[in-house]
Amino acid sequence: MARLQQTEGLTEEQQELLGLVREFVDEQILPVATELEHADEYPTKIVEQMQEMGIFGLMIPEEYGGLGESLLTYALTVEELSRGWMSVSGIINTHFIVAYLLLQHGTEEQKQRYLPRMATGEVRGAFSMSEPECGSDVSAIRTRAVPAQGDRWTITGQKMWLTNGGSANLVAVLVKTDTGADSVYRNMTTFLVDKEPGFGEVAPGLTVPGKIEKMGYKGVDTTELLLDAHQSSTGQILGGEPGRGFYQMMDGVEVGRVNVAARACGVARRAFELGIDYAQQRETFGKKIAHHQAVLFRLADMATKVEAAHQMMVRAARLKDSGERNDLEAGMAKYLASEYCAEVVEDAFRIHGGYGYSKEYEIERLYREAPMLLIGEGTADIQRMIIGRRLLELYAARG
């Protein structure tokens, strides 16, 4: 067992589960990840194996057919999956956020309808806040739902950056609803939108145009979602009442930030593994480059960052599991882990020298994947705003 990224206090069941995931990553993901990524191919076989392992239902309670595990167990699983291929963890993470939203905010009818099928992976989730013109400014969304006859609603607008947008068959969509509240944030509602997997018109008034071509984070489908007078109902509003959507989504993003931190930890660890392995094979000036002080110092910095980010991510997950507010810790973990991940990958790339620029070497893939973590679930600057504002609350000046 490697010394880095150890987590104290895990139960035997947690250790056994994580051991199985680690073995799965080593045997089933790492050997094919780079080939699938270069082809931008959806990892169908890997996803099917994860369904069989129960990973889609990892945090869904046993009463709904899941494994009922903690956020910490989930985050450590994501960390391992990301060490193999970050795109695989993205498929799970987006699905998990929708399941979490249903668990925390859904009606019992909604939970019974979706969660058992989400636990098996029959229903796969995606969620959508962002739009082409607003980015991190969620209050500026323009997609709107207006009441129609009876309990019907008509939704029109354009959403952006849906992970799993094509493969999912359930999308949690944040829209504006003019309910008369005095705050823009209380005039937002989350609708649960059913659709067929695939591209084109996937439901009446609902179109997924195709995959967005990306620099990295390939394999997983990232899409737009176009809604043209799409018909829904009050029964498809998350929680059954309009006006709560913003707060529901922020709750989901909070746990999502823990998992983005976990993804960054996994990618960083893989980059460190590649860097230290290559440094002990490559020779220059008559000795292994690991024994050149410049490379040795670089390895020391990489390992320290890998370990620090992991421990901060674990703390954020444990706080959420304990029922405490963790927006400060989740923001710190996401910010630190994503920044450190980019730096560790950069260092591993430098250690590889010219070979790091070749698609033959795995580090080339990681070099294109790491930047996504700097912007996913809120950019680094957004995290610093969240952290700073929370610190002012906690350390308010007296007098």
Side-chain angles (χ1 to χ4, degrees):
M1 179 71 70
R3 179 71 175 258
L4 296 181
Q5 292 189 341
Q6 295 298 295
T7 308
E8 296 181 358
L10 296 180
T11 65
E12 288 186 12
E13 289 80 4
Q14 287 174 312
Q15 292 175 10
E16 182 179 355
L17 173 62
L18 292 170
L20 289 172
V21 174
R22 191 174 301 116
E23 182 179 333
F24 173 64
V25 168
D26 288 338
E27 295 180 0
Q28 304 298 327
I29 297 181
L30 280 172
V32 299
T34 296
E35 180 182 354
L36 291 174
E37 196 272 349
H38 286 167
D40 199 6
E41 181 179 337
Y42 188 80
T44 301
K45 185 177 179 180
I46 291 173
V47 169
E48 290 173 351
Q49 291 173 302
M50 290 194 297
Q51 283 182 262
E52 294 175 7
M53 295 172 67
I55 291 178
F56 278 92
L58 197 59
M59 276 194 67
I60 295 174
E62 293 180 5
E63 63 184 290
Y64 298 110
L67 298 180
E69 286 290 344
S70 64
L71 178 60
L72 175 62
T73 306
Y74 187 84
L76 295 175
T77 300
V78 166
E79 184 179 62
E80 290 292 343
L81 292 173
S82 298
R83 184 177 68 88
W85 185 16
M86 188 180 72
S87 294
V88 172
S89 68
I91 293 169
I92 297 294
N93 188 47
T94 307
H95 173 87
F96 155 69
I97 290 177
V98 179
Y100 177 85
L101 289 173
L102 280 160
L103 275 171
Q104 298 299 318
H105 306 287
T107 65
E108 187 56 36
E109 181 181 352
Q110 290 168 348
K111 294 175 185 178
Q112 293 289 348
R113 179 180 178 188
Y114 291 113
L115 289 177
R117 293 183 296 145
M118 293 188 80
T120 64
E122 177 189 349
V123 169
R124 298 181 195 169
F127 75 101
S128 175
M129 292 190 296
S130 187
E131 297 184 4
E133 302 298 327
C134 68
S136 297
D137 184 8
V138 179
S139 66
I141 64 171
R142 298 177 181 177
T143 300
R144 188 175 301 274
V146 296
Q149 187 175 4
D151 70 343
R152 307 298 295 173
W153 294 78
T154 301
I155 309 174
T156 299
Q158 181 180 6
K159 308 300 286 187
M160 192 74 173
W161 305 119
L162 279 77
T163 300
N164 288 349
S167 54
N169 44 10
L170 173 64
V171 186
V173 182
L174 185 67
V175 304
K176 282 192 172 178
T177 47
D178 293 327
T179 56
D182 58 1
S183 166
V184 63
Y185 300 107
R186 289 195 291 272
N187 280 303
M188 293 185 183
T189 299
T190 302
F191 278 84
L192 301 170
V193 176
D194 294 305
K195 72 175 189 66
E196 291 297 319
F199 302 100
E201 188 172 14
V202 292
L206 198 67
T207 300
V208 177
K211 292 196 299 185
I212 298 171
E213 296 296 326
K214 309 183 297 290
M215 175 177 74
Y217 198 37
K218 294 179 179 291
V220 60
D221 45 279
T222 305
T223 74
E224 296 177 75
L225 183 69
L226 309 179
L227 302 104
D228 183 11
H230 175 71
Q231 298 299 301
S232 189
S233 68
T234 300
Q236 291 302 107
I237 292 176
L238 181 63
E241 295 182 21
R244 299 179 180 178
F246 176 80
Y247 304 98
Q248 293 166 344
M249 283 287 188
M250 290 303 102
D251 187 25
V253 166
E254 190 172 292
V255 294
R257 283 173 180 150
V258 172
N259 284 286
V260 170
R263 279 196 258 180
C265 290
V267 173
R269 185 163 118 216
R270 184 57 181 166
F272 170 77
E273 291 171 350
L274 293 171
I276 198 167
D277 183 63
Y278 185 81
Q280 294 175 85
Q281 297 179 38
R282 174 72 165 163
E283 289 188 7
T284 62
F285 304 102
K287 60 182 177 181
K288 306 293 186 184
I289 64 171
H291 297 295
H292 291 294
Q293 190 178 68
V295 175
L296 193 64
F297 282 7
R298 202 178 290 277
L299 291 170
D301 288 344
M302 292 162 69
T304 302
K305 291 171 181 176
V306 165
E307 182 67 7
H310 170 82
Q311 298 302 337
M312 184 165 280
M313 178 272 290
V314 168
R315 172 168 166 73
R318 280 184 161 147
L319 271 176
K320 190 70 173 179
D321 282 332
S322 71
E324 295 185 48
R325 181 176 176 180
N326 84 329
D327 55 339
L328 175 65
E329 289 77 12
M332 285 180 167
K334 192 275 174 186
Y335 171 52
L336 187 82
S338 60
E339 294 288 336
Y340 276 179
C341 176
E343 293 169 11
V344 170
V345 169
E346 171 82 18
D347 280 340
F349 175 81
R350 289 173 181 267
I351 287 171
H352 279 75
Y355 288 108
Y357 209 63
S358 167
K359 287 192 173 185
E360 181 182 348
Y361 283 75
E362 189 180 340
I363 190 62
E364 180 269 344
R365 169 170 63 84
L366 271 58
Y367 196 74
R368 289 182 289 102
E369 289 180 343
M372 196 286 291
L373 297 165
L374 298 171
I375 54 177
E377 308 291 4
T379 64
D381 289 337
I382 290 293
Q383 303 310 314
R384 291 195 289 178
M385 287 176 61
I386 293 168
I387 294 165
R389 288 170 180 171
R390 184 74 175 116
L391 290 172
L392 289 177
E393 291 178 21
L394 294 170
Y395 293 90
R398 299 177 180 176

